């Protein structure tokens, strides 16, 4: 049986996957996964959160790219459906950025958004 959560998508770009793999290697724990979550707050209503985790909870979905596993809880995934995480390096520095097709607006720093 297919549920609505089964059709939700989320991905990392190749650059993001390479950067996450490098950071996990530096942590020295190969079992770590990138957890991406959405919480209330920020200047636009919702904010993105990134952390490392070694646990998959019952309400989590996992996505894999080039050996890197990303974990997103189902509630956050509804707000991130179709989103992609990229790693960008420019004169302003280096950061992870989320391209979220569901966001109607976002703040200047790119860490919060509105729907």
């Amino acid at each position: 049986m297919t549920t609505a959560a089964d059709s939700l998508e989320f991905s990392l770009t190749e650059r993001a996957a390479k950067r996450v793999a490098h950071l996990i290697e530096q942590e020295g724990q190969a079992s770590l996964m990138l957890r991406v979550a959405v919480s209330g707050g920020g200047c636009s209503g919702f904010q993105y959160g990134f952390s490392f985790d070694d646990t998959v909870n019952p309400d989590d979905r996992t996505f894999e790219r080039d050996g890197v596993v990303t974990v997103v809880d189902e509630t956050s995934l509804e707000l991130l459906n179709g989103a992609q995480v990229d790693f960008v390096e420019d004169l302003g520095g280096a950061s992870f950025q989320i391209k979220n097709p569901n966001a109607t607006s976002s703040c200047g720093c790119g860490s919060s958004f509105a729907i």
Side-chain angles (χ1 to χ4, degrees):
M1 181 168 136
T2 302
T3 66
D6 291 334
S7 64
L8 300 177
E9 294 297 324
F10 183 82
S11 64
L12 297 179
T13 64
E14 181 180 355
R15 283 187 304 234
K18 284 182 181 178
R19 183 62 178 171
V20 171
H22 174 74
L23 293 171
I24 289 173
E25 183 179 317
Q26 286 185 322
E27 291 291 322
Q29 290 182 276
S31 64
L32 290 177
M33 300 168 281
L34 176 66
R35 179 171 292 280
V36 179
V38 173
S39 60
C43 51
S44 294
F46 294 101
Q47 61 187 6
Y48 301 115
F50 297 95
S51 62
F52 286 125
D53 202 341
D54 60 2
T55 304
V56 176
N57 300 316
D59 69 333
D60 287 337
R61 288 276 314 277
T62 59
F63 303 89
E64 189 271 335
R65 169 79 189 247
D66 300 333
V68 172
V69 177
T70 305
V71 179
V72 184
D73 66 90
E74 287 183 8
T75 302
S76 295
L77 188 55
E78 289 179 18
L79 299 169
L80 293 169
N81 185 30
Q84 185 176 56
V85 176
D86 195 9
F87 182 71
V88 178
E89 293 181 277
D90 57 25
L91 293 175
S95 64
F96 288 100
Q97 296 179 359
I98 295 185
K99 296 173 186 164
N100 186 348
N102 306 300
T104 58
S105 65
S106 62
C107 67
C109 67
S111 65
S112 69
F113 67 102
I115 291 191

